[in-house]
Amino acid sequence: MKIFKSILIALLIIIIGVVIIKLASIEYSNKETIQIEIKDKYIKRQGSGETAKDVYMIVDTNNNTYEITDLLFIGKFNSTDIYNRLDIGQVYIVEVTGVRNNFMSWYRNINKIIE
């Protein structure tokens, strides 16, 4: 009976690990190059206190919302620079990854401005 419980716990840990890895990898998947016209941009504060972080947000003229955040596994650490280069009323070709999920409050991530 102890072996059965141990196997069951190990399987549960593996399943939870796979789900966590899959959810984390969504941010890096669905790479696409699109054209957007900037309607608005703002900074959204997530969390509170010392754990709070600012996220750069972009809204296009089709009312799609994007975030601009650093992504460790693709070596993207220039979110502030990308945000500052985007001007309201201008059209850009950008590279995005991720998915939009209203329930989870996930946004596609702008990773690069294509010149």
Side-chain angles (χ1 to χ4, degrees):
M1 194 62 158
K2 278 188 170 184
I3 294 175
F4 178 73
K5 285 183 181 179
S6 297
I7 292 173
L8 192 59
I9 290 172
L11 286 174
L12 186 60
I13 290 171
I14 290 170
I15 290 170
I16 291 171
V18 168
V19 168
I20 290 171
I21 290 170
K22 181 62 177 167
L23 289 176
S25 70
I26 287 173
E27 197 170 18
Y28 297 91
S29 62
N30 300 325
K31 184 176 175 181
E32 186 179 6
T33 301
I34 59 172
Q35 180 174 309
I36 60 172
E37 182 178 348
I38 309 298
K39 176 181 171 183
D40 194 15
K41 60 190 256 187
Y42 60 95
I43 299 173
K44 177 181 176 181
R45 170 128 331 209
Q46 291 181 333
S48 62
E50 291 184 22
T51 60
K53 71 174 191 171
D54 292 334
V55 178
Y56 301 115
M57 305 299 291
I58 300 293
V59 181
D60 70 14
T61 53
N62 294 321
N63 292 318
N64 297 309
T65 304
Y66 306 88
E67 69 180 4
I68 305 174
T69 55
D70 292 340
L71 295 174
L72 173 67
F73 295 118
I74 63 170
K76 177 188 164 204
F77 303 105
N78 62 343
S79 296
T80 302
D81 298 328
I82 293 172
Y83 179 80
N84 289 332
R85 288 179 54 202
L86 298 173
D87 294 320
I88 295 173
Q90 297 298 311
V91 176
Y92 298 93
I93 297 174
V94 294
E95 180 182 285
V96 297
T97 55
V99 295
R100 176 67 174 118
N101 183 310
N102 296 336
F103 179 73
M104 300 293 289
S105 194
W106 292 345
Y107 301 93
R108 298 186 81 189
N109 195 340
I110 297 175
N111 297 317
K112 187 186 301 182
I113 302 170
I114 310 296
E115 299 296 335

